[in-house]
Amino acid sequence: MRRKGFCLIIFTIIFILITLASPITAQTVSPVELSGHVADQNEEPIINAHIRIVSTNAGAVTDVNGRFTISTTPSFPLEISISAIGFQSKTINLASLPSDPIRITLEEDRQMLQQIEVTANRLSGYHSQRIEPIHVRMLPSAAGASIEGLVRSQMGVASNNELSSQYRVRGGNFDENLVYVNGQEVHRPFLMHSGQQEGLSFVNPDLVESVEFSAGGFSASYGDKMSSVLDIRYKRPTETAGSVSAGMLGANAHLEGAAFNQKVSWITGVRYKTNRYLLGTLDEKGDYKPNFTDAQAFLTYEATPRLSFEVLGYYSLNTYEFIPQTRETTFGTISDVKRLRIYFAGKEENRFETGYGALSTIFNVSDRQQYKLTFTGFRTFEEETYDIAGAYWLQEIDNPFDADDEGTQIGVGEYLQHARNDLFANVISANLEGNHSSTGSITSWGIQVRQESFRDRVNEWELIDSAGYSIPYRGDILELAYTKNANHDIVANRVSGFLKNQSSLAIGSGFLMVDAGIRASYYSFNDEYIISPRVLLNFLPSRNSNHRYRLSGGFYYQPPFFKEMRRPDGTLNKDIKAQKSIHVVSGFDYYFHKMERPFKFTTELYYKHMKNLIPYQVDNVRIIYSGENEAKGYAVGIDFKINGELVPGEESWATLSLMKTEEDLLNDRWINPATPGEPGYIPRPSDQRLNFSMFIQDHLPNNPDFKAHLSFFFGTGLPFGPPRSPRYMAVHRLPSYRRLDIGFSYDLLQSRLMQNNTLNLKNMWLGIEIFNLPNIDNTISHYWVTDINNRQYAVPNYLTSRRINLKLTATF
């Protein structure tokens, strides 16, 4: 009944919003139809070009053949604007209604990334959000400049840890998100358990040309994960350029260019990051030494007009060393204040080394037929080592403002944590893809063969002593509170393939764009076959081109990938099966103009039915799976987004998400055998009911070279419970996550002091950022203290407090 009520509320909200967003218009003059064809300089049709009549804002979008039709009132002359992603915009004037369809040719825009393209001006035929990489440099973020930082502010995405680039999408976890770079999947570290240890993500934003993000209901051409796809393409430069940036959190540089009549292009970047400045604000004091570096390069070579090659190479080394000293945390309510003090001995040392390479051969048999063969190799070696002893005192405090108030001792004890973990993983693959264009449709297919090998060594344990007694207390028996051991060597193969067709059909007064496909795979580890049909529908009314309607759905499987098959005690489940999710996503887009500037309103309603789930718990950013297909669940919600130019030339946006996700463990029972029934549906660890994010850009009215940027995040609390306890006990909620970062930047080249630009720089931005402006104590997790009577106290682990960052960025 609760689920039905929640769905009814959501459907009511979306109905009201769509009704309010749809303007009521009356026609007093018989309309006429204006038709045409849009192509590039090679006479190839341009799909999804946006054609707009400037005086009325009526418009249309080209189909797969580059054709369009606009219904308008016969009020000539008309000014028509034509724009498409990757092409220079164009404006034409018509004195009268032409007797034949208009033929329009657009030129490629080689400098697209150096301009600000407003997403609200685009009508895309795909079910994904387009993200402009240029915003990365402007977004104030404690995690540094990253594409994932922009993704976190998109519709349907949630995150509550500024030290991490990981994100959750519509009730999923970090491991349910696909990341593609140049058409190939990339992976994140496996052993990392804290955002403090997290370094640079794979994607270097300085190298990025385009970013598309789908929060669910994605095409069959993408792999087998249950939540989302982040699809990134790197640039193919046509001239020499570069950038350098340095600040208190690290530095990065990139260089790009082309040679031999642009037959050869190359772009390379290096980055360095350190969180030491931020980690100094945590309650846990000590000597932090986080150092994260990487380097990557992307090269292309056009041997002939029909044969070209692409090479991508990547190497990263992330090291984290921590020698803890003391910790003091005050928590509770005004009437019940507690303080935890810990004195440490020991240290933690982690090392994560990763390499990746991809070689692609692209062969254009004809203008309508293309093949691509890609070989990839991914290798990572991860070491996690720590021996940390702590002596703690838990006190009830009468006056929290008095540092000398010792209060009343309610818990005294010691603990010792030990780990010697290492993981070696090697993933190699061969991937062949083909594209075939015909009149009215594009057919794509692909087949991949992949081998995965893992060498896993785990030795973890924890000893807790409370008031002289070992916890858990077993009389004279010394028992560890937690232990985990594993020694595995795994070699497995995957074979997967897809076939899909994209077509455009004229239906009534609009175009229906259909992306229908099927995906299949086989995994040798558990001898499992899966088949995943997927359909995406997109209706574009020709009479009211400011509206777009979308519907997508399909079966989305997630075969186990090492972590899912490993139980908490370290043993492997060789009978583990793929998790299964059925997606249904409906969406509505409304394009409009206010204050003579473009805006876009988007809403999506979704439902996910999940089976064969592998329950899990989250330890900071590490996901600990049960290793068993022992749950079913669902996720239902609605997302809203509005974006556009609050000030000319500066894009801003705001998103709101309402979501509920629960699961039912099929074999759980109450601890008390006298309790009837079973726990039933409980919140999943990602059940964050409400999320709101906002990114605002502004500049001085008479000086656009002085800019301000603000990012704000709010998310209600996530579920949590005692560690190593039954899942149904995780019904408590963390406090809400609230984060406000603000940044200011100024182009020094416009300053009188920098008029002599001897370095031929394009710009030089000086920025100042204030992280966590309100200085809010956000809770990421809890440290649990247990006394001899087995009473547990949850002590909050707070994230970073207010910090000021300076950075200098120059482009040439």
Side-chain angles (χ1 to χ4, degrees):
M1 293 299 292
R2 288 186 300 166
R3 284 199 289 170
K4 292 181 179 179
F6 188 79
C7 294
L8 180 61
I9 293 172
I10 286 178
F11 276 105
T12 304
I13 292 173
I14 193 171
F15 176 80
I16 294 173
L17 285 169
I18 292 177
T19 303
L20 293 176
S22 304
I24 300 175
T25 59
Q27 291 280 29
T28 59
V29 181
S30 298
V32 297
E33 290 198 344
L34 180 68
S35 61
H37 177 267
V38 181
D40 61 17
Q41 293 169 300
N42 298 320
E43 295 300 320
E44 289 294 323
I46 299 176
I47 305 173
N48 301 325
H50 183 202
I51 298 88
R52 182 171 63 91
I53 299 176
V54 176
S55 59
T56 65
N57 283 331
V61 177
T62 56
D63 60 13
V64 294
N65 296 311
R67 299 189 182 99
F68 68 90
T69 301
I70 303 176
S71 179
T72 183
T73 56
S75 178
F76 292 91
L78 291 179
E79 182 181 2
I80 300 177
S81 171
I82 307 99
S83 62
I85 299 171
F87 295 88
Q88 296 181 15
S89 298
K90 189 173 186 177
T91 301
I92 61 175
N93 293 285
L94 297 177
S96 61
L97 181 67
S99 58
D100 298 322
I102 311 169
R103 296 190 65 83
I104 302 169
T105 301
L106 297 183
E107 297 181 0
E108 290 188 11
D109 186 0
R110 296 289 186 177
Q111 306 300 324
M112 180 181 64
L113 288 180
Q114 297 177 11
Q115 304 172 9
I116 295 179
E117 300 282 343
V118 180
T119 307
N121 242 349
R122 299 177 178 172
L123 284 172
S124 171
Y126 304 99
H127 292 232
S128 59
Q129 307 173 52
R130 297 186 184 273
I131 303 173
E132 293 302 332
I134 195 171
H135 296 313
V136 169
R137 292 182 178 176
M138 304 302 177
L139 181 71
S141 172
S146 69
I147 295 297
E148 291 83 358
L150 283 177
V151 172
R152 290 173 56 182
S153 65
Q154 300 305 307
M155 189 171 61
V157 183
S159 178
N160 64 334
N161 187 350
E162 65 272 6
L163 292 174
S164 171
S165 62
Q166 304 305 317
Y167 50 87
R168 301 179 303 276
V169 179
R170 292 177 174 171
N173 64 40
F174 308 140
D175 293 335
E176 295 179 15
N177 303 315
L178 281 166
V179 179
Y180 278 78
V181 175
N182 294 341
Q184 302 302 316
E185 183 181 358
V186 297
H187 308 281
R188 71 186 189 95
F190 299 96
L191 293 184
M192 191 172 293
H193 69 263
S194 172
Q196 302 172 16
Q197 308 158 358
E198 187 169 331
L200 298 156
S201 69
F202 183 97
V203 182
N204 186 334
D206 290 332
L207 280 59
V208 172
E209 179 179 52
S210 65
V211 180
E212 291 192 5
F213 176 74
S214 174
F218 42 87
S219 173
S221 58
Y222 294 113
D224 296 306
K225 290 288 180 78
M226 293 199 301
S227 287
S228 73
V229 172
L230 178 62
D231 192 352
I232 293 167
R233 287 293 308 180
Y234 278 0
K235 291 187 282 187
R236 297 186 64 173
T238 58
E239 62 181 17
T240 301
S243 68
V244 178
S245 179
M248 302 173 71
L249 302 180
N252 58 275
H254 100 279
L255 191 63
E256 60 187 69
F260 304 106
N261 273 341
Q262 299 183 356
K263 289 184 177 294
V264 175
S265 70
W266 51 273
I267 183 169
T268 183
V270 294
R271 295 181 293 174
Y272 168 74
K273 174 185 173 183
T274 177
N275 288 332
R276 188 171 188 175
Y277 176 61
L278 291 173
L279 299 179
T281 68
L282 302 180
D283 286 345
E284 204 165 74
K285 305 302 180 183
D287 185 12
Y288 290 93
K289 294 181 181 179
N291 293 289
F292 314 121
T293 57
D294 80 348
Q296 56 186 300
F298 178 55
L299 297 87
T300 64
Y301 171 55
E302 185 179 311
T304 69
R306 297 198 180 277
L307 180 64
S308 60
F309 301 91
E310 295 181 351
V311 178
L312 174 63
Y314 169 85
Y315 173 78
S316 72
L317 177 61
N318 299 333
T319 61
Y320 175 82
E321 181 178 322
F322 177 42
I323 303 176
Q325 297 172 353
T326 62
R327 168 178 175 165
E328 182 174 309
T329 303
T330 301
F331 62 101
T333 63
I334 296 177
S335 59
D336 183 18
V337 182
K338 294 181 174 61
R339 177 182 294 155
L340 174 69
R341 285 179 175 169
I342 306 178
Y343 295 92
F344 297 102
K347 67 185 302 185
E348 176 182 357
E349 288 183 334
N350 299 325
R351 179 185 175 93
F352 304 89
E353 187 174 11
T354 302
Y356 175 86
L359 170 63
S360 298
T361 302
I362 303 167
F363 181 50
N364 296 294
V365 178
S366 66
D367 294 339
R368 294 180 176 271
Q369 193 170 352
Q370 181 189 81
Y371 297 97
K372 182 179 180 180
L373 176 63
T374 303
F375 297 95
T376 67
F378 168 79
R379 175 172 292 193
T380 181
F381 180 66
E382 304 178 13
E383 288 183 304
E384 184 183 42
T385 302
Y386 57 80
D387 285 287
I388 296 177
Y392 64 85
W393 288 262
L394 184 64
Q395 306 160 327
E396 285 185 341
I397 303 299
D398 297 325
N399 183 5
F401 302 102
D402 184 3
D404 298 326
D405 183 2
E406 295 297 331
T408 303
Q409 300 286 352
I410 58 175
V412 178
E414 297 177 326
Y415 68 87
L416 177 61
Q417 296 174 333
H418 168 89
R420 293 292 185 274
N421 303 331
D422 65 80
L423 172 71
F424 175 80
N426 192 38
V427 181
I428 57 175
S429 69
N431 187 30
L432 178 64
E433 295 179 318
N435 283 284
H436 308 270
S437 301
S438 60
T439 303
S441 71
I442 300 175
T443 300
S444 304
W445 58 269
I447 184 168
Q448 183 187 77
V449 179
R450 189 167 84 179
Q451 184 182 78
E452 305 164 358
S453 59
F454 296 93
R455 188 187 67 211
D456 180 33
R457 307 289 185 266
V458 176
N459 181 11
E460 294 181 16
W461 52 263
E462 181 178 8
L463 174 66
I464 299 177
D465 182 291
S466 178
Y469 294 89
S470 175
I471 301 296
Y473 181 60
R474 298 287 188 272
D476 296 332
I477 300 175
L478 178 63
E479 185 170 339
L480 296 174
Y482 162 72
T483 181
K484 180 178 181 180
N485 288 279
N487 191 336
H488 304 298
D489 289 280
I490 304 170
V491 178
N493 299 307
R494 298 180 194 261
V495 179
S496 61
F498 74 90
L499 175 66
K500 74 168 188 175
N501 179 266
Q502 294 173 277
S503 59
S504 178
L505 308 172
I507 296 181
S509 60
F511 290 100
L512 178 64
M513 303 185 71
V514 182
D515 183 329
I518 188 168
R519 187 174 188 88
S521 69
Y522 169 74
Y523 187 33
S524 65
F525 178 83
N526 56 1
D527 194 28
E528 181 181 26
Y529 297 87
I530 60 174
I531 298 178
S532 173
R534 305 172 188 179
V535 178
L536 291 76
L537 305 176
N538 203 334
F539 182 69
L540 312 172
S542 58
R543 295 185 179 276
N544 192 345
S545 62
N546 292 332
H547 292 181
R548 180 176 70 171
Y549 303 89
R550 292 174 282 111
L551 179 66
S552 63
F555 289 77
Y556 295 84
Y557 291 86
Q558 182 157 333
F561 187 62
F562 177 66
K563 293 204 307 185
E564 291 97 324
M565 63 183 70
R566 193 171 67 176
R567 301 183 180 95
D569 61 1
T571 60
L572 288 182
N573 180 4
K574 296 186 178 181
D575 296 322
I576 196 77
K577 298 299 180 183
Q579 301 180 86
K580 177 181 177 181
S581 176
I582 300 176
H583 289 198
V584 179
V585 183
S586 63
F588 169 74
D589 300 328
Y590 172 48
Y591 297 78
F592 62 98
H593 279 68
K594 290 294 182 183
M595 301 174 291
E596 300 183 351
R597 290 191 285 275
F599 288 86
K600 174 186 174 184
F601 169 78
T602 300
T603 182
E604 288 188 353
L605 176 67
Y606 60 91
Y607 178 79
K608 296 196 289 188
H609 176 72
M610 294 172 281
K611 296 175 62 178
N612 280 356
L613 287 179
I614 307 173
Y616 66 92
Q617 293 179 325
V618 180
D619 179 12
N620 206 309
V621 298
R622 176 179 289 184
I623 297 174
I624 304 171
Y625 291 94
S626 72
E628 304 286 348
N629 299 107
E630 54 183 356
K632 61 181 180 179
Y634 71 91
V636 60
I638 186 170
D639 300 323
F640 307 98
K641 180 180 180 180
I642 185 168
N643 66 307
E645 298 181 359
L646 293 179
V647 295
E650 306 290 349
E651 186 182 5
S652 303
W653 61 81
T655 67
L656 174 66
S657 298
L658 304 174
M659 187 269 298
K660 183 178 182 181
T661 180
E662 293 183 321
E663 64 185 5
D664 181 10
L665 274 70
L666 305 179
N667 57 356
D668 61 339
R669 295 290 184 271
W670 300 106
I671 293 179
N672 183 1
T675 304
E678 60 179 29
Y681 277 94
I682 58 174
R684 301 193 76 200
S686 55
D687 183 41
Q688 199 164 23
R689 299 292 174 87
L690 184 148
N691 266 284
F692 176 78
S693 66
M694 180 171 57
F695 176 55
I696 296 177
Q697 298 189 90
D698 200 354
H699 59 69
L700 292 181
N702 299 320
N703 187 0
D705 298 306
F706 186 90
K707 301 178 183 291
H709 324 276
L710 180 145
S711 66
F712 174 75
F713 294 90
F714 174 84
T716 54
L718 290 165
F720 77 96
R724 297 179 284 278
S725 297
R727 275 280 294 115
Y728 67 79
M729 297 182 67
V731 294
H732 307 289
R733 293 277 175 172
L734 293 172
S736 298
Y737 179 80
R738 297 150 293 165
R739 182 83 182 184
L740 176 63
D741 300 325
I742 190 168
F744 303 93
S745 57
Y746 179 63
D747 190 352
L748 295 177
L749 294 186
Q750 306 304 317
S751 170
R752 294 181 179 179
L753 299 177
M754 296 287 291
Q755 289 299 311
N756 186 17
N757 184 8
T758 59
L759 298 177
N760 295 321
L761 299 177
K762 293 179 181 178
N763 53 57
M764 180 183 289
W765 293 96
L766 176 64
I768 180 171
E769 299 172 323
I770 306 175
F771 303 135
N772 194 2
L773 182 63
N775 203 29
I776 297 172
D777 289 331
N778 286 306
T779 302
I780 181 60
S781 61
H782 287 89
Y783 174 80
W784 291 84
V785 177
T786 306
D787 63 17
I788 185 60
N789 297 315
N790 209 30
R791 288 191 300 261
Q792 293 183 308
Y793 301 89
V795 183
N797 295 317
Y798 295 123
L799 286 163
T800 59
S801 57
R802 185 189 299 124
R803 272 291 194 256
I804 297 177
N805 179 44
L806 295 174
K807 65 179 182 180
L808 182 67
T809 302
T811 61
F812 55 88

